[in-house]
Each structure stands twice: as C-alpha cells, then as structure tokens.
Amino acid sequence: MRTKVLTVEVPAPLADQIGRLAVRQDRSQDAVVREALTAWADREERLRTLTLEGMADVDADRLVEQAAMEAWAEGLDSDSPRR
C-alpha cells in the first residue's frame, strides 16, 4: 500500500500519552496513531452516510411523530419494550 507522511503538532501531554500506550501495547507510536486516525476517519464517514440517509428520509417524508418517539424511548426501560 502506498503511504504518505503527515506531520502534526500535538500537545505534549497527548504525545506522552500516545508514547505510554505504545509501550504498554508493545507497538510503535506510528501504529497507535494510524489506528486512531483510521477509527476517526471511519467514524466520520459513517456519520456522513447516516446524515445523508436521514436527510433522504426527511425529503421522502418518512418521519416519526415526536410523541411516538418519546413513547418508544420511555418503553425501553420496561420489561417488554415496544418496537
């Protein structure tokens, strides 16, 4: 896989924390940062997808009334939640 080098300044306490985590996990700091960036990018992509899906539902008038949503949420604490 082709790679690129990114240079970023982070607060010293964060850099120290990353260093400690890397040592504890017997991994390089690069690996720890790469994993964190991958998780962040994946989460942001998923959030964008969910936002676009929600906007499409609104455009298509696929909505749920507020009262129905509140009743559903309140039912989550019961022994037999409504679906």
Side-chain angles (χ1 to χ4, degrees), residues 10-20 29:
V10 297
L14 177 57
D16 294 341
Q17 183 179 20
I18 291 168
R20 286 191 304 274
Q29 290 185 43

Side-chain angles (χ1 to χ4, degrees), residues 28-76:
S28 70
Q29 290 185 43
D30 285 354
V32 172
V33 171
R34 189 178 310 109
E35 182 179 327
L37 287 173
T38 299
W40 174 81
D42 290 347
R43 186 183 69 235
E44 290 298 314
E45 288 290 335
R46 181 72 179 135
L47 182 59
R48 172 136 175 85
T49 298
L50 291 172
T51 299
L52 293 174
E53 289 174 3
M55 291 169 59
D57 284 340
V58 169
D59 289 344
D61 204 30
R62 291 186 295 264
L63 306 171
V64 177
E65 294 291 328
Q66 179 74 22
M69 189 58 148
E70 289 174 359
W72 172 81
E74 288 173 9
L76 291 176

